[in-house]
């Protein structure tokens, strides 16, 4: 094999491989198997029901098993964590349609008019996704504006009162207490009700669109907690933004609408039951993610490109058009409602939650001499972004190991909220940067120790919602900020934002990144103006925009979609080229040091995420070395008891079973005939679709695809299905229900070829066959995800039940 780095076990102990490539006895589940699974010269041992395999664990019922980390009853003070692991608790989505006889019969029954009706329903769903996502964004924006405004007015009045007669310590205590109290509520609902609602949700949606089933990620309860949580986080004064969580919110809305039912509300409307399968659901979720981006930034094209760049592994022209439609509807809905709310119904001047304001090309144009300066800013943004990600990585590792209890997570969130308020107050108190209040756009000007008619400039950045602070840094006239003010704010807010991301609260990192970049970008512009004796092209607002793009690009490492989002948010295509240069430079420089923030958090959660391409040095690996083997196969006509035993065996909790044609009286393995899923077998057993041995032509009940869709997505566990002793002796014919044409690869196929087929088609199972079409193994997501390019060459990760 190629240069494969030493593997690390779940316990943290190194393990050595035997000469033939087989792992020692202390090895955790590798390929889902025990000892002897990792070698290339594997021998198949058939048994009574052709048990030739063992794949990774799976759970089809999230309500019964929450797929959570196995934790001992007495919680340890430290949970060991190793990033060189893949978790077995994550499973893939069934994106590939099963073209069995039921599917073909349904296709033949549907006429042209019915197909047109289905297509119209798709457009209706996309429109509903856009409308509801826009309305949710409006709700978040209006509630945050009112609650935050109330908080800032109360604190401002208190500070103004105590500035004259002393006792500002009470004002500090009031500000810190208000912040901590609001954040405590937001953290409590996330930590104790729905932990998956923590953070921005972008890493989870990236994984879902990549084909990974993340438990509870698109539930209605998650949406409610997400919306309430992000409102409380922003009002609580944390260094967060409300734009990132809109992507998660839009995805949940899309998943719920497209299925036409809710398990939380126990309602089933049956209106969109045709779309109850992973193939359709994932496409709609990508539309919801795009609608969320569009609502957040007023960037419908950027939303489409975000879903393309960061999410969906499968794409086509029709999907692009529907997603763009949902994004436009989302922006228009938000624009209409907010324009009415702000009293200018016909103006339509609020296309997104954050509006960067109009950048006038005549006043803030750029020249060719500035291109190298912009590239240099991209380098600075890449370095600062890499530093941000590295610090956040070690902080996240610390949280995983020590702050794993919900009560501790809530306490940490309250501590960060109080510290953020304290830092802001101290910075405002110590600042002597006073600016004239006339013509200022500051919402809550604090006079503090400034003269009458002036306000404290530091309060513009700290004593405001982050979105308004960003716009102020972009558009305030030259001379509005002292360089020392910008430098101190950048330094403090950088560490506060880094500490805040990863807390158990619903919050995004987009706006804090933009705010940090805008602050040091404006400082850079001021410095340049000093050096060039006030040259006209050294406008601080223009450099604030470039700094914001550089910082955000250095942290999240998006290029194409972020360029278009920034262009649409500024409303000026003139800045497209410099923004693109800045983002490309920031990504290249940042990637040299450390991964992007979202990819890093996906890796820390041990998710089997598949990137666009296989590792570049993996051509020497073949399907025979990568595949899971042996594989549990089923005969085309199988005994019910055998099927129940296979599904009940917790040591081989497989999700897909190759179907072979074989004589029950011999142990010889015959050629592949098809593939059937665990979920399909459970539905067959639930409806008792089997016959007595004497008459194989009689079926008790004729199933339709509707029966499988009704059970989707939480199929009952095998333990809940009762099969009598007499029924165990019956036979079940899988011919009608199996997929007769599953994708296969020869065992000599290289890893990149297997990877490309698996990734591009969004597969869950890829059967490996020999030259006689006999099953020799199975390739699943984890078999491919465990190979990655490290600093010492090709690394092979271990699999563990984390």
């Amino acid at each position: 094999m190629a240069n494969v780095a030493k593997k690390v076990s779940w316990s943290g102990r190194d393990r050595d491989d035997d000469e033939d490539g087989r792992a020692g006895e202390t090895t955790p589940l590798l390929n889902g198997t025990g000892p002897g699974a990792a070698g290339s010269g594997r021998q198949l041992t058939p048994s009574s029901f052709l048990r030739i395999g063992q794949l990774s664990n799976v759970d089809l019922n999230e309500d019964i098993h929450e797929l959570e980390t196995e934790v001992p009853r007495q919680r340890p003070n430290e949970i060991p964590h190793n990033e060189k692991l893949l978790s077995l608790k994550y499973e893939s989505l069934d994106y590939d349609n099963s073209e069995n006889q039921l599917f073909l019969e349904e296709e033949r029954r549907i006429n042209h008019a019915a197909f047109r009706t289905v297509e119209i329903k798709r457009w209706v769903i996309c429109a509903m996704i856009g409308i509801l996502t826009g309305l949710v964004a409006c709700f978040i924006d209006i509630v945050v504006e009112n609650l935050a405004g109330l908080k800032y007015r109360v604190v401002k009045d208190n500070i103004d009162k105590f500035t004259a007669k002393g006792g500002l310590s009470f004002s500090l205590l009031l500000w810190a207490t208000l912040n901590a109290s609001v954040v405590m509520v937001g953290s409590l609902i996330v930590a104790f009700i729905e932990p998956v609602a923590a953070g921005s949700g972008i890493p989870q949606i990236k994984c879902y669109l990549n084909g990974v089933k993340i438990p509870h990620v698109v539930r209605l309860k998650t949406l409610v907690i997400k919306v309430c949580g992000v409102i409380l986080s922003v009002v609580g004064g944390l260094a967060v933004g409300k734009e990132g969580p809109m992507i998660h919110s839009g995805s949940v809305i899309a998943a719920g609408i497209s299925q036409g039912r809710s398990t939380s509300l126990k309602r089933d409307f049956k209106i969109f039951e045709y779309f109850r399968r992973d193939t359709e659901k994932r496409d709609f979720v990508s539309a919801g993610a795009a609608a969320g981006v569009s609502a957040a930034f007023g960037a419908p094209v950027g939303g489409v490109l975000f879903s393309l760049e960061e999410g969906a592994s499968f794409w086509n022209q029709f999907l692009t058009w529907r997603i763009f439609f949902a994004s436009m509807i989302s922006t228009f809905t938000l624009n209409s409602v907010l324009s009415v709310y702000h009293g200018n119904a016909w103006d339509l001047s609020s296309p997104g939650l954050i509006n960067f304001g109009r950048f006038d090309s005549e006043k803030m144009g750029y020249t060719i001499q500035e291109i190298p300066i912009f590239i240099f800013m991209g380098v600075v943004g890449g370095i600062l972004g890499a530093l941000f990600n590295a610090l956040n990585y070690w902080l996240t590792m610390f949280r995983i190991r020590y702050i794993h209890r919900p009560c501790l997570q809530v306490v940490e969130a309250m501590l960060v909220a109080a510290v953020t308020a304290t830092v802001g107050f101290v910075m405002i108190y110590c600042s002597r940067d006073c600016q004239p209040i006339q013509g200022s756009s500051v919402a809550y000007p604090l006079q503090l120790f400034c003269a009458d008619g002036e306000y404290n400039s530091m309060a513009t950045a700290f004593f405001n919602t982050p979105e308004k602070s960003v716009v102020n840094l972009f558009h305030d006239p030259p001379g509005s900020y002292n360089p020392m003010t910008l430098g101190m704010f950048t330094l403090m807010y950088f560490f506060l934002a880094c500490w805040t991301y990863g807390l158990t609260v619903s919050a995004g990192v987009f706006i804090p990144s933009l705010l940090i970049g805008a602050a040091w970008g404006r400082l850079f512009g001021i410095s340049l103006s000093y050096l060039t004796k006030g040259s006209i092209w050294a406008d601080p607002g223009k450099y604030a925009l470039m700094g914001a793009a550089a910082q955000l690009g250095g942290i999240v490492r998006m290029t194409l979609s972020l360029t278009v989002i920034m262009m649409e948010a500024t409303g000026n295509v003139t800045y497209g080229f410099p923004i693109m240069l800045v983002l490309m430079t920031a990504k290249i420089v940042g990637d040299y040091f450390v991964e992007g923030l979202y990819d890093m958090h996906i890796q820390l959660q041990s998710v089997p995420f598949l990137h666009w391409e296989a590792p570049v040095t993996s051509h020497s690996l073949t399907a025979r070395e990568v595949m899971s083997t042996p594989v549990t196969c089923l005969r085309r006509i199988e005994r019910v008891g055998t099927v129940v035993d296979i599904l009940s065996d917790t040591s081989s909790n497989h999700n897909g079973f190759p179907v072979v044609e074989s004589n029950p009286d011999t142990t010889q393995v015959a050629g592949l005939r098809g593939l059937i899923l665990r979920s399909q077998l459970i539905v067959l057993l639930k409806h008792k679709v089997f016959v007595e041995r004497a008459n194989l032509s009689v079926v008790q009940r004729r199933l339709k695809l509707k029966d499988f869709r009704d059970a989707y997505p939480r199929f009952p566990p095998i333990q809940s299905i009762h099969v009598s002793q007499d029924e165990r002796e019956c036979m079940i014919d899988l011919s009608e229900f199996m997929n007769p044409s599953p994708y296969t690869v020869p065992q000599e196929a290289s890893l990149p070829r297997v990877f490309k087929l698996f990734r591009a088609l969004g597969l869950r199972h890829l059967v490996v066959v020999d030259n006689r079409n006999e099953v020799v193994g199975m390739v699943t997501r984890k078999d491919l995800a465990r190979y990655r390019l490290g600093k010492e060459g090709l690394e092979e990760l271990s699999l563990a039940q984390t």
Side-chain angles (χ1 to χ4, degrees), residues 508-699:
V509 76
F510 268 86
I511 299 304
S513 304
L514 290 172
L515 184 51
I516 295 166
W520 69 254
R522 191 175 180 97
L523 176 61
F524 187 86
I526 293 172
S527 305
L528 205 61
S529 181
Y530 285 153
L531 293 174
T532 57
K533 303 291 190 294
S535 175
I536 192 168
W537 48 264
D539 188 286
K542 173 176 54 181
Y543 288 96
L545 175 65
M546 295 305 159
Q551 186 67 48
L552 183 56
I555 290 175
V556 302
R557 308 290 162 76
M558 294 189 295
T559 50
L560 176 64
S561 56
L562 200 52
T563 302
V564 177
I565 288 170
M566 296 290 286
M567 282 170 52
E568 290 183 283
T570 56
N572 195 329
V573 75
T574 308
Y575 290 107
F577 181 67
I579 288 173
M580 182 194 71
L581 283 179
V582 165
L583 288 172
M584 283 179 59
T585 308
K587 176 176 170 55
I588 292 169
V589 172
D591 284 342
Y592 180 78
F593 296 104
V594 70
E595 286 184 303
L597 189 66
Y598 299 142
D599 292 328
M600 189 181 74
H601 277 262
I602 289 171
Q603 182 180 317
L604 284 171
Q605 293 299 318
S606 304
V607 179
F609 187 88
L610 295 181
H611 295 279
W612 287 104
E613 299 287 343
V616 291
T617 61
S618 60
H619 284 82
S620 58
L621 287 174
T622 63
R624 184 193 298 110
E625 296 168 288
V626 172
M627 66 187 183
S628 295
T629 186
V631 182
T632 300
C633 294
L634 296 172
R635 300 184 181 90
R636 190 177 57 81
I637 300 175
E638 188 62 270
R639 195 172 68 89
V640 172
T642 302
V643 175
V644 172
D645 290 341
I646 292 174
L647 296 180
S648 303
D649 188 356
T650 55
S651 65
S652 59
N653 211 0
H654 309 347
N655 216 324
F657 303 91
V659 180
V660 298
E661 188 73 72
S662 181
N663 186 348
D665 299 328
T666 67
T667 59
Q668 183 180 1
V669 181
L672 177 68
R673 292 292 177 267
L675 182 76
I676 193 161
L677 301 176
R678 165 182 286 265
S679 55
Q680 293 174 302
L681 292 171
I682 284 177
V683 173
L684 296 181
L685 292 175
K686 179 182 177 182
H687 292 284
K688 301 192 181 301
V689 185
F690 36 78
V691 296
E692 295 184 11
R693 191 182 295 271
N695 187 357
L696 293 178
S697 62
V698 178
V699 179

Side-chain angles (χ1 to χ4, degrees), residues 126-411:
C126 287
M128 293 172 66
I129 290 169
I131 292 170
L132 285 178
T133 303
L135 290 176
V136 167
C138 290
F139 174 77
I140 292 174
D141 189 59
I142 292 170
V143 174
V144 165
E145 183 179 334
N146 284 282
L147 290 181
L150 176 64
K151 184 192 80 170
Y152 286 125
R153 281 193 297 272
V154 168
V155 177
K156 180 183 182 306
D157 292 343
N158 191 273
I159 291 176
D160 290 343
K161 184 175 78 171
F162 282 102
T163 301
K165 61 180 184 179
L168 278 173
S169 55
F170 181 78
S171 302
L172 167 61
L173 187 63
L174 174 67
W175 191 2
T177 304
L178 282 174
N179 276 16
S181 303
V182 173
V183 169
M184 179 186 72
V185 179
S187 184
L188 279 171
I189 60 176
V190 172
F192 288 95
I193 299 177
E194 197 55 88
V196 80
S200 65
I202 295 177
Q204 292 93 323
I205 296 303
K206 277 187 68 172
C207 292
Y208 186 89
L209 295 178
N210 190 257
V212 182
K213 183 180 181 182
I214 306 292
H216 301 182
V217 74
V218 287
R219 292 269 189 94
L220 176 62
K221 185 168 71 170
T222 305
L223 174 65
V224 174
I225 300 301
K226 194 84 180 182
V227 170
C228 297
V230 74
I231 289 171
L232 294 167
S233 299
V234 177
V235 173
L238 291 176
V240 298
K242 57 182 182 284
E243 282 67 22
M246 277 309 305
I247 297 168
H248 191 178
S249 302
S251 301
V252 180
I253 290 168
I257 292 175
S258 63
Q259 302 306 289
R261 69 177 174 193
S262 170
T263 53
S264 301
L265 300 177
K266 307 254 185 317
R267 297 296 298 272
D268 189 348
F269 300 101
K270 301 285 186 185
I271 184 171
F272 299 133
E273 61 181 352
Y274 178 81
F275 304 116
R276 289 176 186 172
R277 57 180 188 268
D278 287 340
T279 311
E280 300 284 353
K281 187 175 179 179
R282 204 168 102 186
D283 287 349
F284 287 120
V285 168
S286 62
V293 174
S294 183
F297 296 97
V301 178
V304 175
L305 293 175
F306 173 84
S307 282
L308 173 60
E309 183 180 11
E310 292 295 308
S313 57
F314 183 79
W315 203 264
N316 61 45
Q317 184 179 358
F318 299 109
L319 182 61
T320 308
W321 187 228
R322 286 198 299 271
I323 289 177
F324 181 64
F325 176 70
S327 298
M328 290 297 294
I329 294 291
S330 175
T331 295
F332 181 75
T333 302
L334 177 85
N335 211 341
S336 303
V337 175
L338 286 185
S339 296
V340 171
Y341 174 74
H342 290 134
N344 45 358
W346 306 107
D347 192 17
L348 295 181
S349 57
S350 304
L353 290 182
I354 181 169
N355 186 3
F356 290 165
R358 182 67 60 179
F359 280 79
D360 193 342
S361 300
E362 295 180 4
K363 294 181 181 177
M364 299 175 64
Y366 68 95
T367 61
I368 196 72
Q369 298 99 307
E370 292 178 275
I371 297 296
I373 299 175
F374 294 150
I375 293 175
F376 174 75
M377 293 183 74
V379 173
V380 175
I383 294 172
L384 289 177
L387 176 63
F388 185 99
N389 292 359
L391 292 174
N392 190 261
Y393 173 85
W394 294 112
L395 186 59
T396 306
M397 289 286 285
F398 178 84
R399 284 176 173 139
I400 291 173
R401 287 174 175 160
Y402 298 103
I403 312 178
H404 45 266
R405 299 181 186 179
C407 53
L408 292 177
Q409 293 168 343
V410 174
V411 170

